[in-house]
């Protein structure tokens, strides 16, 4: 049964007994505590069982039940709702074969409680910092991968042969909470440099007037969010509307959050897994370029490779990729075979779609992305299914597992052997308020924004370039920071870099309430999830480009980057979003001409004002690939002749 929270005397809106049932030990307040694993009722007899993990990982898969985060419900105060959320240090059990792991948490649990809000009710949250001690994460890097993993993105437990990353062990608990996807003004966005220390509070007022959706909150401290989020500062936020409630979507125990993340752990002198988190990355080449973080253990709701007992009926899953950098390409398998149309997308980052859309192939979620899906278990009475992660072009379970993931399994579903509930049918129409953007809705009076994703330059870090159109007269090619693009219609544009470092150059300044087209062009061989604060968008197109004309030494084009073909949007890319994966041509499998390169165009709306940022949501890239943006009332942009 889903825990119920009520308003109590301390103003948290928490039922202490429910928190105890959820595994948090309480005293005068919430204490650092070992959080036992929670499962649903054992009354559902189901098949399946534990399985060994890949060699060298040392934990049994599907041994522990999925844990459902407790729920926080704000309490009404006049015309708005209020809530206090405390950040505390806690020991959290991530697997029954692993010692409790020290973590920084929201309210003593990982992930933090799900904040369940009602859309249309302004919300004020007091984020109270009660964290103690330095960050409970050991950060290391290595030059050569250990073991014999065929997975080039993963690595094994332990720190043998690694170098400790200087400055991380002593990081104090200074934090900034960002409610990701909430369209709040810049003053309430959780600005990453407005930190609060222990004993201090962050007061945030959220308009909360968005569509019914699943958001998430996390730490956004500048330069160190890759460590603070990894330490455990993650939680969910849901908002509901009358429109959504009238749809009769699966609810209660059939409305299940799935927060995906990955972790690595240290080992003791005997080689056994120890209860401590390790942020472990590989370094490439003489320049020691950092790989994106990807750990071997997949967690769902803070449990390593859990199982969930389900009834043979429809379920709603709210899937959030809260990993630092790992992209999840999810498929549902029955007896090792993909279930065709097994996942039906009903919602994206910023709300419900107009109709359910079956997933053709895999559901691709990059860090920060969310998708709400319906799954029909009625045909699988008494059977076991798996949710797995895959590589592009790799058939799960096929004999040839070359370049497959070290451990592809995410979680297991055990379907009860009982009469299926076939009375439910998904609604044909979901949100009548959602509309796909039309050509007439797009701005035609000004040029689009251009953001280019570039590989490491002299600084040996990935870069994000803001560009402006320029006159090519007098320019020689290649020239540093100048990129020519020939689009699908044959038009040739010359783009010149204006800014790329966080604190350098001009800032994109945008009129409040406006709609803009942003073009993201990826010149690297690695996909990047691009996230925007203060705005939300719809994806207009995804296209393949030949980027071999980009000179990686000069860092400009010797010949134009050229359109090669159009791509089809994924099901979860057709709704309102705030994160979009800007990939390569096929990501892992070469594109139409064998070279990487994608251009993704989005139509962005800016409904709030203030100073925000746009950045890559791979947290290992975030500090390098981030730029400020300002949304201002249009009258302010032109006051006194200033523009």
């Amino acid at each position: 049964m889903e825990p119920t929270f009520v308003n109590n005397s301390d103003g948290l809106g928490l039922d202490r007994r429910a928190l105890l049932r959820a595994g948090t030990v309480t005293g005068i307040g919430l204490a650092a505590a070992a959080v036992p694993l929670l499962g649903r009722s054992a009354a559902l007899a189901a098949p399946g069982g534990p399985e060994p993990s890949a060699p060298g990982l040392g934990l049994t898969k599907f041994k522990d039940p999925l844990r459902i985060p407790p729920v926080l419900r704000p309490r009404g105060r006049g015309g708005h709702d209020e809530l206090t959320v405390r950040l505390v240090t806690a020991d959290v059990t991530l697997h029954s074969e692993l010692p409790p792991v020290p973590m920084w948490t929201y309210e003593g649990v990982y992930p933090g409680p799900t904040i369940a809000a009602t859309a249309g009710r302004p919300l004020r949250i007091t984020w109270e910092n009660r964290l103690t001690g330095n960050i409970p994460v050991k950060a290391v890097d290595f030059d050569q991968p250990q073991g014999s993993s065929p997975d080039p993105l993963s690595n094994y437990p332990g720190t043998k042969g690694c170098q400790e990353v200087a400055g991380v062990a002593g990081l104090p608990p200074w934090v900034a909470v960002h409610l990701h996807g909430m369209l709040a003004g810049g003053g309430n966005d959780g600005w990453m440099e407005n930190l609060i220390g222990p004993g201090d509070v962050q007061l945030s007022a959220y308009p909360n007037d968005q569509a019914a959706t699943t958001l998430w909150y996390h730490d956004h401290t500048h330069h160190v969010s890759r460590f603070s989020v990894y330490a455990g500062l993650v939680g969910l936020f849901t908002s509901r509307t009358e429109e959504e409630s009238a749809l009769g979507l699966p609810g209660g125990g059939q409305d299940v959050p799935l927060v995906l993340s990955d972790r690595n752990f240290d080992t003791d002198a005997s080689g056994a897994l120890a209860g401590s988190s390790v942020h472990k990355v590989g370094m490439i080449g003489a320049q020691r370029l950092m790989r994106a973080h990807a750990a071997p253990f997949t967690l769902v709701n803070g449990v390593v490779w859990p199982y969930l007992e389900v009834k043979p009926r429809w379920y709603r899953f709210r899937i959030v990729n809260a990993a630092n950098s790992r992209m999840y390409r999810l498929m549902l398998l029955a007896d090792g075979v993909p279930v065709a149309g097994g996942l039906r997308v009903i919602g994206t980052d910023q709300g419900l779609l107009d109709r359910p859309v079956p997933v053709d192939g895999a559901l691709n979620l990059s860090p920060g992305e969310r998708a709400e899906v319906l799954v029909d278990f009625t045909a699988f009475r008494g059977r076991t299914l798996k949710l797995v992660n895959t590589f592009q072009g790799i058939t799960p379970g096929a004999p040839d597992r070359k370049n497959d993931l070290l451990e592809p399994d995410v979680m297991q579903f055990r379907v009860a052997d009982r009469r299926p509930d076939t009375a439910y049918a998904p609604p044909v129409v979901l949100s009548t308020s959602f509309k796909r953007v039309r050509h007439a809705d797009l701005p035609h009076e000004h040029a689009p924004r251009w953001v280019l994703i570039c590989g490491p330059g002299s600084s040996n870090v990935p870069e994000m370039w803001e560009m402006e159109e320029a006159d090519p007269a007098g320019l020689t090619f290649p020239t540093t920071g100048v990129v020519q693009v020939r689009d699908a219609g044959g038009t040739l544009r010359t783009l010149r870099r204006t800014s790329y470092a966080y604190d350098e150059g001009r800032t994109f300044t945008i009129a409040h309430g406006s709609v803009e087209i942003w073009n993201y062009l990826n010149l690297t061989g690695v996909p990047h999830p691009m996230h925007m604060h203060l705005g939300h968008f719809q994806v207009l197109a995804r296209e393949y480009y030949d980027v071999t004309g980009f000179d990686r030494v000069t860092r400009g084009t010797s010949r134009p980057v050229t359109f090669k073909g159009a791509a089809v949007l994924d099901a979860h890319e057709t709704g309102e979003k705030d994160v979009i994966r800007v990939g390569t041509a096929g990501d892992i499998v070469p594109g139409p001409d064998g070279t990487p390169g994608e251009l993704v165009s989005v139509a962005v709306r800016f409904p709030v004002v203030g100073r925000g940022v746009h950045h890559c949501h791979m947290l290992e890239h975030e500090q390098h690939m981030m730029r400020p943006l300002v949304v201002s009332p249009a009258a302010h942009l032109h006051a006194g002749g200033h523009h």
Side-chain angles (χ1 to χ4, degrees):
M1 180 176 180
E2 188 172 344
T4 302
F5 288 75
V6 299
N7 297 324
N8 69 346
S9 60
D10 67 5
L12 284 173
L14 283 150
D15 180 340
R16 297 286 180 185
R17 290 169 297 178
L19 270 181
L20 282 167
R21 290 195 299 273
T24 300
V25 177
T26 61
I28 300 300
L30 294 180
V35 181
L37 299 167
L38 263 190
R40 296 194 180 275
S41 171
L44 295 178
E51 296 180 9
S53 60
L57 298 186
L59 292 179
T60 304
K61 295 185 298 185
F62 318 136
K63 183 176 182 180
D64 299 315
L66 181 74
R67 182 166 54 223
I68 306 301
V71 176
L72 285 174
R73 302 189 188 280
R75 65 178 184 180
R77 179 70 64 87
H80 66 274
D81 292 337
E82 292 185 352
L83 188 66
T84 295
V85 180
R86 295 185 286 194
L87 288 71
V88 297
T89 305
D91 293 328
V92 181
T93 298
L94 305 179
H95 192 284
S96 58
E97 296 173 348
L98 186 71
V101 177
M103 302 185 79
W104 283 353
T105 73
Y106 298 102
E107 293 295 349
V109 292
Y110 176 76
T114 298
I115 298 173
T118 301
R121 294 277 301 176
L123 176 62
R124 299 175 185 175
I125 298 182
T126 300
W127 305 97
E128 184 177 316
N129 187 351
R130 294 193 179 186
L131 294 170
T132 57
N134 294 329
I135 194 165
V137 172
K138 185 176 184 179
V140 299
D141 59 38
F142 59 91
D143 293 307
Q144 298 294 329
Q146 285 93 44
S148 57
S149 170
D151 175 6
L153 300 179
S154 198
N155 52 65
Y156 284 85
T159 58
K160 183 179 180 181
C162 298
Q163 301 84 36
E164 186 165 359
V165 178
V168 177
L171 283 174
W174 288 80
V175 296
V177 185
H178 171 54
L179 180 45
H180 178 125
M182 176 61 73
L183 297 173
N188 295 289
D189 189 52
W191 185 253
M192 58 211 187
E193 291 159 330
N194 289 347
L195 305 179
I196 59 169
D200 202 353
V201 298
Q202 174 183 319
L203 304 176
S204 298
Y206 303 112
N208 193 32
D209 57 358
Q210 298 167 222
T213 188
T214 301
L215 310 180
W216 64 303
Y217 55 96
H218 60 84
D219 187 63
H220 211 296
T221 305
H222 197 30
H223 296 303
V224 299
S225 59
R226 64 193 185 279
F227 304 123
S228 57
V229 171
Y230 195 73
L233 293 177
V234 167
L236 285 192
F237 180 101
T238 63
S239 64
R240 297 185 183 273
T241 63
E242 292 182 0
E243 178 187 54
E244 179 202 26
S245 299
L247 294 174
L249 295 169
Q254 284 74 52
D255 183 352
V256 182
L258 301 179
V259 181
L260 309 182
S261 60
D262 58 351
R263 289 294 184 280
N264 209 339
F265 305 110
D266 208 349
T267 54
D268 61 22
S270 69
L273 291 174
S276 56
S277 295
V278 172
H279 182 277
K280 181 178 178 181
V281 297
M283 310 302 286
I284 308 169
Q287 292 81 23
R288 288 182 59 78
L289 306 179
M290 184 179 69
R291 283 186 182 271
H293 176 272
F297 299 96
T298 295
L299 282 67
V300 186
N301 293 357
V303 183
V304 180
W305 300 314
Y307 69 86
L308 176 65
E309 294 181 344
V310 298
K311 301 174 184 178
R313 57 160 297 165
W314 286 86
Y315 278 71
R316 175 185 188 177
F317 294 103
R318 302 170 184 262
I319 308 176
V320 181
N321 185 348
N324 273 30
S325 293
R326 183 178 285 280
M327 298 192 182
Y328 288 97
R329 190 173 181 277
L330 302 171
M331 300 184 78
L332 188 67
L333 306 185
D335 299 322
V337 178
V339 178
L343 304 175
R344 299 192 190 187
V345 175
I346 61 170
T348 61
D349 298 349
Q350 287 285 329
L352 296 174
L353 295 172
D354 54 346
R355 59 186 176 84
V357 182
V359 174
D360 181 17
L363 176 65
N364 294 284
L365 289 182
S366 58
E369 283 190 290
R370 289 89 68 203
E372 297 187 25
V373 301
L374 295 179
V375 176
D376 181 10
F377 291 108
T378 58
F380 300 98
R381 173 181 177 177
R383 297 173 65 185
T384 300
L385 290 82
K386 288 183 181 180
L387 188 67
V388 302
N389 189 20
T390 67
F391 271 161
Q392 179 84 12
I394 300 295
T395 302
D400 181 10
R401 298 179 65 86
K402 183 179 179 181
N403 290 329
D404 203 351
L405 293 159
L406 172 61
E407 182 50 77
D409 288 338
V410 174
M411 66 177 295
Q412 182 188 75
F413 298 101
R414 302 175 185 176
V415 187
D417 188 6
R418 60 168 60 179
R419 183 188 301 274
D421 180 358
T422 58
Y424 179 79
V428 176
V429 176
L430 292 168
S431 174
T432 57
S433 60
F434 168 75
K435 305 293 182 185
R436 277 292 294 172
V437 66
R438 304 166 301 171
H439 179 75
D441 302 324
L442 301 177
H444 301 287
E445 67 279 5
H446 57 79
R449 308 273 186 183
W450 284 84
V451 178
L452 270 57
I453 302 166
C454 299
S458 58
S459 59
N460 289 335
V461 297
E463 295 175 353
M464 184 180 77
W465 294 0
E466 293 177 350
M467 312 293 287
E468 65 178 4
E469 290 201 40
D471 185 347
L475 292 176
T476 59
F477 299 95
T479 294
T480 300
V482 177
V483 173
Q484 289 192 304
V485 179
R486 191 179 302 279
D487 65 18
T491 300
L492 180 66
R493 289 181 173 83
T494 300
L495 307 175
R496 179 171 53 203
R497 186 179 69 198
T498 59
S499 309
Y500 71 97
Y502 173 69
D503 56 356
E504 168 255 359
R506 301 203 309 263
T507 298
F508 283 170
T509 303
I510 299 144
H512 174 234
S514 64
V515 178
E516 295 191 347
I517 295 176
W518 286 41
N519 291 327
Y520 292 102
L521 177 60
N522 190 353
L523 300 175
T524 77
V526 178
H528 294 261
M530 306 309 293
H531 172 50
M532 187 178 300
H533 295 219
L534 309 185
H536 59 118
F537 54 78
Q538 288 188 25
V539 184
L540 300 175
R542 181 186 295 278
E543 299 173 333
Y544 297 131
Y545 272 72
D546 177 357
V547 300
T548 55
F550 181 73
D551 189 308
R552 300 181 189 280
V553 177
T554 307
R555 300 180 68 70
T557 50
S558 56
R559 65 179 188 278
V561 171
T562 306
F563 171 82
K564 301 300 291 185
V568 177
L569 298 180
D570 289 348
H572 74 288
E573 295 176 337
T574 60
E576 293 286 342
K577 292 184 62 59
D578 53 58
V579 179
I580 184 62
R581 172 179 52 87
V582 185
T584 63
D587 288 350
I588 302 299
V589 176
D593 67 341
T595 60
E598 272 192 4
L599 185 144
V600 176
S601 300
V602 300
V604 196
R605 299 177 181 88
F606 294 95
V608 295
V609 299
R611 179 179 169 90
V613 289
H614 66 106
H615 60 88
C616 176
H617 215 287
M618 296 175 76
L619 299 187
E620 279 68 39
H621 292 176
E622 186 180 80
Q623 65 178 3
H624 310 298
M625 300 177 65
M626 179 180 292
R627 285 283 300 149
L629 62 85
V630 174
V631 181
S632 178
H636 289 200
L637 295 178
H638 303 282
H642 172 71
H643 180 68

